[in-house]
Amino acid sequence: MQDARRHAPTVARNRDPILEVLRRHLPETGTLLEVSAGTGEHAAYFAAAFPGLVWQPTDPDPAARASIAAWAREAKLNNLRPPLALDAAAEDWPVARADAVLCINMIHIAPWAAGLGLLRGAARLLPPGGTLILYGPYKRGGAHTAPSNAAFDAGLRAQDPDWGVRDLEAVAAEAAAAGFGPPEVVEMPANNLTLIFRRAG
């Protein structure tokens, strides 16, 4: 049987710093929706660390979902659900509610419409006080936080003009319009940020 698991080199480097933030902000029980779960390596690692949380990974790409499912089979965790197809930009999501939403390294490798859809969709699903956590590179005050991020942004835009490192302030403004409070911003290794939004009551 062919191994469908994909490997992202960044996962081994960023999973523990992300986990440290998640431990401070995720509920101990309930359902977490991971949007754009990619290879599924994060889902397997984090679901093991939160046995009281039902972890629901999603991705729009069939090959990514196959990888997520393969990692889930290997992990053998009762709280890690099979992946669902979810397009963040779509109005209809295959999940009706969640207690927390997590999205790692998506909104810069997707059209801005997907980021806006993520914010609206998370607001629909989360209860008052529910948590939306975003991780990745961001510009602050319209400027890149490091030369490496500027080079990364240029490379993304060369692949697709609709991609690119987003402005933190623009994301926060759109999140506020969707019904979230201002983000808590946590500086992460490799010039990344974690943004923690709470659904307004």
Side-chain angles (χ1 to χ4, degrees), residues 9-166:
T10 57
V11 170
R13 298 194 295 269
N14 67 28
R15 65 185 187 179
D16 286 319
I18 295 173
L19 178 59
E20 185 179 334
V21 176
L22 297 182
R23 288 193 189 281
R24 298 199 301 269
H25 294 283
L26 290 185
E28 292 186 6
T29 60
T31 298
L32 180 138
L33 178 70
E34 184 179 357
V35 176
S36 190
T39 65
E41 293 168 277
H42 279 131
Y45 192 71
F46 296 149
F50 294 93
L53 271 180
V54 175
W55 204 277
Q56 178 59 71
T58 70
D59 203 279
D61 177 29
R65 293 196 300 275
S67 178
I68 296 164
W71 280 106
R73 284 193 298 272
E74 183 183 84
K76 298 182 174 65
L77 298 170
N78 292 331
N79 64 321
L80 180 54
R81 295 287 181 261
L84 298 175
L86 186 153
D87 176 0
E91 289 299 319
D92 293 323
W93 285 15
V95 177
R97 62 170 299 279
D99 299 288
V101 176
L102 173 67
C103 185
I104 296 172
N105 283 333
M106 182 202 85
I107 67 171
H108 56 284
I109 313 177
W112 180 231
L116 298 178
L118 168 67
L119 298 171
R120 291 193 302 267
R124 288 194 305 269
L125 268 59
L126 290 169
T131 307
L132 167 64
I133 299 178
L134 308 181
Y135 169 89
Y138 292 89
K139 290 187 281 187
R140 304 187 82 166
H144 290 289
T145 60
S148 59
N149 281 13
F152 180 51
D153 183 43
L156 289 174
R157 294 178 188 278
Q159 291 180 65
D160 189 322
D162 288 334
W163 294 3
V165 175
R166 308 302 179 187

